[in-house]
Amino acid sequence: MSLDDLGPEELGPDAPSGVEALFDAPPLPEQERMVEAILFASAEPLSLAQIGERLPHGSDPAEALALLRKRYEGRGVGVAKIGTGWALRTAPDLGFLMRREAKEVRKLSRAAIETLAIIAYHQPATRAEIEEIRGVSLSRGTIDILLELEWIKLGRRRETPGRPVTFVTTQMFLDHFGLASARDLPGIKELRAAGLLDATPPGAEAEEELPPGEDGEIDDMFPEEEAVA
Amino acid sequence: MSLDDLGPEELGPDAPSGVEALFDAPPLPEQERMVEAILFASAEPLSLAQIGERLPHGSDPAEALALLRKRYEGRGVGVAKIGTGWALRTAPDLGFLMRREAKEVRKLSRAAIETLAIIAYHQPATRAEIEEIRGVSLSRGTIDILLELEWIKLGRRRETPGRPVTFVTTQMFLDHFGLASARDLPGIKELRAAGLLDATPPGAEAEEELPPGEDGEIDDMFPEEEAVA
Amino acid sequence: MPENVLDAPVANQVAPLETDPFDTPPGDLPEVDGDALSVSVDGFEGPLDLLLMLARTQKVDLRKVSVLQLAEQYLEFVNKARALRLELAADYLVMAAWLAFLKSRLLLPPPHEDGGPSGEELAAHLAFQLERLEAMRRAAAQLMGRDQLGRDFFARGMTETVTVKRQTEWTANLADLLRAYSRVRTRDEFRPLQVDRSAIFTMDQALERLKHVIGMAMEWGDLASFLPDGWSLEPAKRRSAIASTFAASLELAKLGQVEIRQDKTFAPIYLRARQREETPA
């Protein structure tokens, strides 16, 4: 039996130190401490893989993280899931205490907020799709403010004529709004169930004469829009 | 005796709720949570008086802090006294895990980001091509920084006289900028539409940007650059 | 006829949307108040936004909105705005034309199978667009109403724990990268223009030539007939020659050597030498 096969249980916390111990993972409670320190020190959310990289060889980051999450339950600070990552964040109910820490948040225009919401709920979304939903063309500066905030980034180009760029939301977006994933956007299930994230009304015929202002772009999201008067 | 004089001990956690409760300090465990969140979010160590200022009226910061210190004993993060203040710090014995956090974050220089952008859009690109597009010669350090960041690497040598080395972007580059592929970078028209390109000089709209990474021949790639002195 | 929406105090119907505390700086709000004369489309973000506001005045679920009634409301709004001589952007007029077309489709008996969508299908799609826009607005408000990082909950305040090894991490974000490329490419576009001089007929050349040939032109002659030989065929050369010859003719007119005539806008321009005998001394 090689030393690598020895779990921390076999060796126990009192395992003899020495050369062999260098190859053992520390006991789970110690791993939990380490995950705590690692998450605490990182400004950005860390994925399980990233946490694992920093732990000693043979550690079990998932198990250690699970213990840590439990320990922080109901505390003033908690372990938050943000996309594929994890981070320590203060409990939302205590926000009122931190007023003086609060940064002045740039006031976004109505166009920017709606554009963000459309990208979040319809992602990946092209410029033409955003314009079609809002019924107006996107003004300069709207997309670039959202890029600057790092709330959106480029997705894959649509494989349709013109190969338009698409936009998707980022982990910073999830972090900012305290979302574990884009699936947790408020009301998204209801919107999907009501067909409001589709391109056409439920049961609509494929061939349609559409109101003006539509781009008639062909893509995954709006497959039926090609026929424009 | 006024309500303000009542410490949480007098009222206890089961103090009657009602109008008076609005003026009561929260129960001590709640105060402890609050101190935890306050210390976590603060950018500098806080004195007991400063903690007290942020807690609801009538709280007992010393008592709450004592509880918190006890809770964090032996954890991966601890309450540390720094000068006259208190702060949450990672446990000193776990410093070795944090070494990679001790980074000085600096914005990339303008020359470096421009060079990177040119490589991203025109890869594989030679030094001469980068210089031609930027109109200035490239300093050694610029390419070095990008190589060191592993955002660019050496591509195939160009089969032209002198067989110059070329540069291409890496997977790390894509990861850092949240791109699925270099082909998803927007073209000039899309940059302009997104408001990232401010000026529209007369006649500029005729320009059609090649999608990056299309691997065009060098002569096709820079057709307009021939007139450069 | 539905109630006159322009006269109706609709501000309260707009209200639910404006409860979003993060947005709608003053001046962004649609301005339709009780005064029939204050019709303004400034506050609306395009015809769809206006339609949505009008749809809300029907006080029904958007799924049950009467598109026919909505079309009438919109057309009435547009007519009123025109009667008041308000400038309406083109997209408002395009929408008006489309709604008039939709209205006719809804009112007339269904045409023979011409393959086009029926009025009902068009109406259903419009109702869907309105519902979807409203849904996105509500979603946007919900999103902004969530607890936000740095305002309601916080990341760790201090940035560095251990300063064992100083390491510089270079960073840049996607916006930086895209801006950098834009900057490089724009700089390119601003390079001094280098034109192939062979295609340029300079004003000096034109002046020289015109001075020489105009003396013989006692009758009105089309500007084009004064172009130098070989400059009329190629469009680029022709354009340059016309521009410089025209500029030269203005110059000569100023000097009193040439008369210029044009019957109406964009009509051909005629030149002739100034008739000396007609000039009072």
Side-chain angles (χ1 to χ4, degrees):
Chain A
M1 176 176 173
S2 83
L3 274 168
D4 286 340
D5 296 326
L6 287 175
E9 292 80 15
E10 274 95 337
L11 285 166
D14 299 312
S17 65
V19 183
E20 301 96 349
L22 286 175
F23 300 95
D24 295 326
L28 205 51
E30 185 61 15
Q31 291 182 32
E32 186 202 329
R33 280 185 81 221
M34 290 177 169
V35 175
E36 183 179 25
I38 290 167
L39 286 185
F40 179 83
S42 173
E44 273 111 52
L46 296 175
S47 69
L48 217 45
Q50 288 170 315
I51 296 170
E53 268 170 35
R54 295 170 200 216
L55 289 177
H57 193 71
S59 299
D60 184 343
E63 196 61 31
L65 181 70
L67 283 177
L68 188 70
R69 290 181 69 190
K70 203 149 183 194
R71 182 180 295 274
Y72 272 101
E73 251 166 40
R75 306 292 318 143
V77 172
V79 182
K81 182 171 202 302
I82 297 152
T84 55
W86 301 89
L88 288 175
R89 298 287 181 254
T90 62
D93 66 308
L94 300 179
F96 68 99
L97 294 168
M98 260 73 72
R99 281 290 130 79
R100 56 189 95 195
E101 254 73 52
K103 285 171 218 114
E104 204 41 60
V105 183
R106 172 150 48 156
K107 218 165 159 36
L108 287 178
S109 70
R110 169 172 165 166
I113 291 171
E114 286 183 17
T115 300
L116 176 65
I118 290 168
I119 292 171
Y121 284 81
H122 292 260
Q123 58 188 307
T126 65
R127 177 187 190 83
E129 286 155 15
I130 297 163
E131 292 182 338
E132 121 104 44
I133 292 172
R134 297 193 65 235
V136 281
S137 54
L138 260 176
S139 64
R140 236 153 220 280
T142 306
I143 288 284
D144 94 314
I145 279 175
L146 297 175
L147 280 171
E148 180 70 47
L149 284 167
E150 296 183 50
W151 285 355
I152 64 167
K153 63 179 184 180
L154 296 165
R156 287 199 169 281
R157 281 178 187 268
R158 260 290 140 64
E159 290 306 333
T160 54
R163 299 184 70 238
V165 297
T166 65
F167 300 100
V168 295
T169 55
T170 61
Q171 178 150 291
M172 297 251 292
F173 164 82
L174 296 177
D175 197 7
H176 186 90
F177 292 100
L179 292 161
S181 82
R183 284 187 296 279
D184 299 313
L185 284 164
I188 192 162
K189 274 187 199 136
E190 293 76 8
L191 289 171
R192 184 163 294 129
L196 288 168
L197 301 183
D198 300 334
T200 47
E205 290 294 314
E207 198 80 347
E208 278 195 43
E209 195 158 352
L210 298 170
E214 311 212 348
D215 229 348
E217 183 156 301
I218 313 156
D219 45 51
D220 325 336
M221 251 180 143
F222 299 122
E224 298 93 347
E225 316 254 312
E226 38 193 314
V228 177
Chain B
M1 179 177 173
S2 84
L3 275 170
D4 287 344
D5 296 326
L6 287 175
E9 292 80 13
E10 275 93 344
L11 284 165
D14 300 311
S17 64
V19 184
E20 300 96 349
L22 287 174
F23 301 96
D24 291 331
L28 204 51
E30 185 62 14
Q31 291 182 34
E32 186 202 327
R33 277 186 84 221
M34 291 175 168
V35 174
E36 184 179 23
I38 290 169
L39 287 185
F40 179 83
S42 173
E44 68 246 18
L46 296 175
S47 69
L48 215 48
Q50 286 171 314
I51 297 170
E53 268 169 37
R54 292 168 201 222
L55 289 176
H57 198 69
S59 299
D60 185 342
E63 195 63 30
L65 182 69
L67 280 177
L68 189 69
R69 291 182 66 186
K70 201 153 182 190
R71 182 182 295 274
Y72 272 104
E73 246 165 44
R75 306 290 321 139
V77 171
V79 182
K81 186 158 208 292
I82 294 151
T84 57
W86 298 90
L88 285 174
R89 283 287 161 104
T90 51
D93 66 310
L94 298 180
F96 70 98
L97 291 171
M98 248 56 64
R99 240 154 253 182
R100 64 186 85 204
E101 300 304 324
K103 282 174 188 160
E104 189 190 348
V105 176
R106 282 217 243 152
K107 276 269 179 196
L108 210 55
S109 74
R110 181 178 169 133
I113 187 95
E114 286 184 7
T115 302
L116 178 64
I118 291 167
I119 294 170
Y121 274 86
H122 296 275
Q123 57 189 300
T126 66
R127 168 182 286 268
E129 286 155 17
I130 296 163
E131 292 181 339
E132 197 169 333
I133 295 177
R134 290 194 64 230
V136 286
S137 62
L138 200 53
S139 73
R140 244 222 98 71
T142 306
I143 287 284
D144 285 349
I145 282 177
L146 296 175
L147 283 170
E148 196 178 310
L149 280 165
E150 294 181 54
W151 285 351
I152 63 168
K153 61 179 181 188
L154 294 173
R156 289 184 170 283
R157 282 183 184 270
R158 190 62 44 76
E159 291 306 333
T160 52
R163 300 187 67 240
V165 297
T166 63
F167 299 100
V168 295
T169 56
T170 62
Q171 183 61 41
M172 298 251 292
F173 163 81
L174 296 177
D175 292 346
H176 183 91
F177 291 96
L179 293 163
S181 90
R183 281 162 212 268
D184 295 326
L185 285 168
I188 284 290
K189 271 187 184 166
E190 288 164 321
L191 289 171
R192 186 171 288 131
L196 288 157
L197 215 171
D198 308 319
T200 310
E205 65 276 4
E207 175 159 355
E208 186 45 66
E209 186 51 37
L210 270 179
E214 292 288 85
D215 243 86
E217 277 300 301
I218 170 68
D219 314 322
D220 308 330
M221 263 180 137
F222 304 105
E224 69 279 38
E225 318 272 318
E226 286 163 46
V228 180
Chain C
M1 197 62 194
E3 62 174 321
N4 186 338
V5 290
L6 299 177
D7 298 335
V10 292
N12 52 338
Q13 269 109 33
V14 182
L17 183 69
E18 317 306 346
T19 51
D20 169 5
F22 299 96
D23 195 23
T24 54
D28 233 9
L29 309 185
E31 204 177 288
V32 179
D33 60 27
D35 185 351
L37 287 178
S38 72
V39 179
S40 165
V41 291
D42 290 347
F44 293 105
E45 287 206 78
L48 204 58
D49 190 24
L50 170 56
L51 272 170
L52 183 56
M53 195 284 293
L54 292 173
R56 288 208 195 92
T57 65
Q58 291 187 17
K59 295 180 184 165
V60 292
D61 189 322
L62 273 181
R63 282 162 195 270
K64 300 194 181 100
V65 85
S66 159
V67 171
L68 184 59
Q69 190 184 331
L70 184 60
E72 280 166 356
Q73 285 174 293
Y74 184 93
L75 294 172
E76 189 185 343
F77 185 101
V78 168
N79 284 337
K80 197 115 184 177
R82 281 172 143 178
L84 294 169
R85 296 176 181 279
L86 288 175
E87 284 275 334
L88 276 183
D91 49 344
Y92 285 87
L93 302 179
V94 172
M95 179 61 92
W98 187 83
L99 285 172
F101 163 75
L102 172 61
K103 198 175 134 187
S104 71
R105 281 232 166 170
L106 287 172
L107 292 176
L108 294 174
H112 353 279
E113 281 307 311
D114 58 355
S118 69
E120 281 71 25
E121 282 164 352
L122 296 178
H125 193 273
L126 179 62
F128 169 74
Q129 281 184 297
L130 293 174
E131 207 191 336
R132 185 174 61 180
L133 177 59
E134 170 136 300
M136 278 300 110
R137 295 222 163 131
R138 209 175 297 122
Q142 279 180 348
L143 189 61
M144 297 318 271
R146 286 183 70 86
D147 289 329
Q148 294 183 42
L149 180 66
R151 194 195 67 183
D152 305 298
F153 63 99
F154 295 83
R156 194 174 154 236
M158 286 176 229
T159 42
E160 233 168 88
T161 322
V162 204
T163 341
V164 187
K165 190 175 145 209
R166 267 211 170 268
Q167 188 190 340
T168 307
E169 182 183 316
W170 299 98
T171 151
N173 65 26
L174 185 61
D176 296 332
L177 183 77
L178 300 179
R179 274 214 191 89
Y181 191 65
S182 302
R183 195 164 59 224
V184 171
R185 298 312 305 239
T186 325
R187 199 187 297 146
D188 221 48
E189 286 162 355
F190 278 130
R191 275 201 191 128
L193 191 61
Q194 294 192 1
V195 191
D196 183 0
R197 308 299 293 186
S198 67
I200 295 293
F201 192 59
T202 66
M203 180 160 151
D204 288 340
Q205 287 172 297
L207 207 53
E208 209 43 51
R209 177 181 161 81
L210 202 56
K211 269 182 186 161
H212 181 68
V213 297
I214 197 73
M216 300 172 249
M218 302 315 285
E219 295 304 315
W220 289 108
D222 190 335
L223 179 70
S225 66
F226 291 96
L227 300 189
D229 298 333
W231 284 77
S232 326
L233 295 174
E234 223 178 289
K237 291 176 90 175
R238 182 179 160 81
R239 209 177 305 138
S240 167
I242 287 181
S244 52
T245 305
F246 177 62
S249 69
L250 292 180
E251 191 62 33
L252 290 180
K254 209 164 80 186
L255 295 172
Q257 298 175 15
V258 161
E259 288 179 310
I260 303 178
R261 194 192 87 202
Q262 186 180 30
D263 295 335
K264 60 178 197 280
T265 319
F266 299 125
I269 293 166
Y270 293 95
L271 310 178
R272 68 173 178 187
R274 181 130 179 204
Q275 312 293 295
R276 296 276 165 201
E277 56 275 30
E278 290 172 20
T279 319

